[in-house]
Coordinates of all heavy atoms in Angstrom, one line a residue:
P224 N 0.8 -1.2 0.0 CA 0.0 0.0 0.0 C 0.8 1.2 0.0 O 1.9 1.4 0.7 CB -0.8 -0.1 1.3 CG -0.8 -1.6 1.6 CD 0.5 -2.1 1.1
A225 N 0.5 2.2 -0.9 CA 1.1 3.5 -0.8 C 0.6 4.3 0.3 O 0.0 3.7 1.2 CB 0.9 4.3 -2.1
V226 N 0.8 5.6 0.4 CA 0.3 6.4 1.6 C -0.8 7.3 1.0 O -0.7 8.4 0.6 CB 1.4 7.2 2.2 CG1 0.9 8.0 3.4 CG2 2.5 6.4 2.6
P227 N -2.1 6.7 1.0 CA -3.1 7.5 0.5 C -3.5 8.5 1.6 O -3.1 8.7 2.7 CB -4.3 6.5 0.4 CG -4.0 5.4 1.4 CD -2.4 5.4 1.4
S228 N -4.5 9.4 1.2 CA -4.9 10.5 2.1 C -5.4 10.0 3.4 O -5.2 10.7 4.4 CB -6.0 11.4 1.4 OG -7.1 10.5 1.0
E229 N -6.1 8.8 3.4 CA -6.6 8.4 4.7 C -5.5 8.1 5.7 O -5.6 8.3 6.9 CB -7.5 7.1 4.5 CG -8.8 7.4 3.7 CD -8.5 7.2 2.2 OE1 -7.4 7.2 1.7 OE2 -9.5 7.4 1.4
A230 N -4.4 7.5 5.1 CA -3.3 7.1 6.0 C -2.5 8.4 6.5 O -2.2 8.4 7.6 CB -2.3 6.2 5.2
A231 N -2.4 9.3 5.6 CA -1.7 10.6 6.0 C -2.6 11.2 7.1 O -2.0 11.9 8.1 CB -1.6 11.5 4.8
A232 N -4.0 11.2 6.9 CA -4.8 11.8 7.9 C -4.7 11.1 9.3 O -4.7 11.8 10.4 CB -6.2 11.8 7.4
A233 N -4.5 9.8 9.2 CA -4.4 9.0 10.5 C -3.1 9.5 11.2 O -3.1 9.6 12.5 CB -4.4 7.5 10.2
L234 N -2.0 9.6 10.5 CA -0.7 10.0 11.1 C -0.9 11.5 11.7 O -0.4 11.8 12.8 CB 0.4 10.0 10.1 CG 1.8 10.4 10.7 CD1 2.2 9.5 11.9 CD2 2.8 10.3 9.6
S235 N -1.6 12.4 10.9 CA -1.7 13.7 11.3 C -2.5 13.9 12.6 O -2.4 14.9 13.4 CB -2.3 14.6 10.3 OG -3.7 14.3 10.1
R236 N -3.3 12.9 13.0 CA -4.0 12.8 14.2 C -3.2 12.6 15.4 O -3.5 12.9 16.5 CB -5.2 11.8 14.2 CG -6.2 12.1 13.2 CD -7.5 11.2 13.4 NE -8.1 11.5 14.7 CZ -9.3 10.9 15.1 NH1 -9.8 10.0 14.3 NH2 -9.8 11.2 16.2
C237 N -2.0 12.0 15.1 CA -1.1 11.6 16.2 C 0.1 12.4 16.5 O 0.7 12.5 17.5 CB -0.6 10.2 15.9 SG -1.9 8.9 15.7
V238 N 0.4 13.3 15.5 CA 1.7 14.1 15.6 C 1.4 15.5 15.1 O 0.6 15.6 14.1 CB 2.9 13.5 14.8 CG1 3.3 12.1 15.4 CG2 2.7 13.4 13.3
S239 N 2.0 16.5 15.6 CA 1.7 17.8 15.3 C 2.7 18.5 14.4 O 2.6 19.7 14.1 CB 1.6 18.7 16.6 OG 2.9 18.6 17.3
V240 N 3.6 17.7 13.8 CA 4.6 18.1 12.9 C 4.4 17.4 11.5 O 3.6 16.4 11.4 CB 6.0 17.9 13.4 CG1 6.2 18.7 14.6 CG2 6.3 16.4 13.6
E241 N 4.9 17.9 10.5 CA 4.8 17.3 9.2 C 5.5 15.9 9.2 O 6.4 15.7 9.9 CB 5.5 18.2 8.1 CG 4.8 19.5 7.8 CD 3.4 19.3 7.3 OE1 3.2 18.4 6.4 OE2 2.5 19.9 7.7
P242 N 5.0 15.0 8.3 CA 5.6 13.6 8.4 C 7.1 13.6 8.1 O 7.8 12.8 8.8 CB 4.8 12.9 7.2 CG 3.4 13.7 7.1 CD 3.8 15.1 7.5
A243 N 7.6 14.4 7.3 CA 9.0 14.4 7.0 C 9.8 14.8 8.2 O 10.8 14.3 8.6 CB 9.3 15.3 5.8
K244 N 9.3 15.9 8.9 CA 10.0 16.3 10.2 C 9.9 15.2 11.2 O 10.8 14.9 12.0 CB 9.4 17.5 10.6 CG 10.1 18.2 11.9 CD 9.6 19.6 12.3 CE 10.3 20.0 13.5 NZ 9.9 21.3 14.0
F245 N 8.7 14.6 11.4 CA 8.5 13.5 12.3 C 9.5 12.4 12.1 O 10.1 11.9 13.0 CB 7.1 13.0 12.3 CG 6.9 11.8 13.2 CD1 7.0 11.9 14.5 CD2 6.7 10.6 12.6 CE1 6.7 10.8 15.4 CE2 6.5 9.4 13.4 CZ 6.5 9.5 14.8
A246 N 9.6 12.0 10.8 CA 10.5 10.9 10.5 C 11.9 11.3 10.7 O 12.8 10.4 11.2 CB 10.4 10.6 9.0
A247 N 12.4 12.4 10.4 CA 13.8 12.8 10.6 C 14.2 13.2 12.0 O 15.3 12.8 12.5 CB 14.0 14.1 9.7
A248 N 13.2 13.8 12.8 CA 13.7 14.3 14.1 C 13.1 13.4 15.3 O 13.7 13.5 16.4 CB 13.1 15.8 14.3
H249 N 12.1 12.7 15.1 CA 11.5 12.0 16.2 C 11.5 10.4 16.1 O 11.6 9.7 17.0 CB 10.1 12.5 16.5 CG 10.0 14.0 16.9 ND1 10.4 14.4 18.1 CD2 9.8 15.0 16.1 CE1 10.3 15.7 18.1 NE2 9.9 16.1 16.9
W250 N 11.1 9.9 14.8 CA 10.9 8.5 14.6 C 12.1 7.7 15.1 O 13.2 7.8 14.6 CB 10.6 8.3 13.2 CG 10.5 6.9 12.8 CD1 11.3 6.0 12.1 CD2 9.3 6.0 13.1 NE1 10.8 4.8 11.9 CE2 9.6 4.8 12.5 CE3 8.1 6.2 13.7 CZ2 8.7 3.7 12.6 CZ3 7.2 5.1 13.9 CH2 7.5 3.9 13.3
G251 N 11.9 6.9 16.2 CA 12.9 6.0 16.7 C 14.0 6.9 17.5 O 15.0 6.2 17.9
R252 N 13.8 8.2 17.8 CA 14.8 9.0 18.4 C 14.4 9.7 19.7 O 14.9 9.4 20.7 CB 15.3 10.0 17.4 CG 16.1 9.6 16.2 CD 16.6 10.8 15.4 NE 17.5 10.3 14.3 CZ 17.1 9.8 13.1 NH1 15.8 9.8 12.8 NH2 18.0 9.5 12.2
T253 N 13.4 10.6 19.6 CA 13.0 11.4 20.7 C 11.5 11.4 20.8 O 10.7 11.4 19.8 CB 13.6 12.8 20.6 OG1 13.0 13.4 19.4 CG2 15.0 12.8 20.5
P254 N 10.9 11.7 22.1 CA 9.5 11.8 22.3 C 9.0 13.0 21.5 O 9.8 14.0 21.2 CB 9.3 11.9 23.8 CG 10.6 11.3 24.3 CD 11.7 11.7 23.4
L255 N 7.7 13.1 21.2 CA 7.1 14.2 20.7 C 5.7 14.4 21.4 O 4.8 13.5 21.3 CB 6.8 14.0 19.2 CG 5.9 15.2 18.5 CD1 6.7 16.6 18.6 CD2 5.7 14.8 17.0
L256 N 5.5 15.5 22.0 CA 4.2 15.8 22.7 C 3.4 16.8 21.7 O 4.0 17.8 21.2 CB 4.4 16.7 24.0 CG 3.2 17.3 24.6 CD1 2.2 16.2 25.0 CD2 3.7 18.1 25.8
S257 N 2.2 16.4 21.4 CA 1.3 17.1 20.5 C 0.0 17.5 21.3 O -0.7 16.6 21.7 CB 1.0 16.3 19.3 OG 2.1 15.9 18.5
R258 N -0.2 18.8 21.4 CA -1.4 19.2 22.2 C -2.6 19.1 21.3 O -2.5 19.3 20.0 CB -1.2 20.5 22.7 CG -0.2 20.6 23.8 CD -0.6 19.8 25.1 NE 0.3 20.1 26.2 CZ 0.1 19.4 27.4 NH1 -0.8 18.4 27.5 NH2 0.9 19.7 28.4
A259 N -3.8 19.0 21.9 CA -5.0 18.9 21.1 C -5.2 20.1 20.1 O -5.7 19.9 19.0 CB -6.2 18.8 22.0
D260 N -4.8 21.3 20.6 CA -5.0 22.5 19.7 C -4.0 22.5 18.5 O -4.1 23.4 17.7 CB -5.0 23.8 20.5 CG -3.7 24.0 21.3 OD1 -2.8 23.3 21.1 OD2 -3.7 25.0 22.0

């Protein structure tokens, strides 16, 4: 499966940064707190 819009939307519900930044700065490295707002 590629990354359709539904998948991108699911990730955006969990992290407050763009996917590329999440992958580079946080994935497997450091925690990320994302507030509801």
Side-chain angles (χ1 to χ4, degrees):
V226 183
S228 58
E229 296 86 355
L234 180 60
S235 73
R236 295 191 65 176
C237 303
V238 298
S239 56
V240 297
E241 291 298 317
K244 183 176 180 180
F245 173 69
H249 298 283
W250 178 251
R252 290 183 173 85
T253 61
L255 173 64
L256 171 65
S257 301
R258 292 298 190 183
D260 59 5

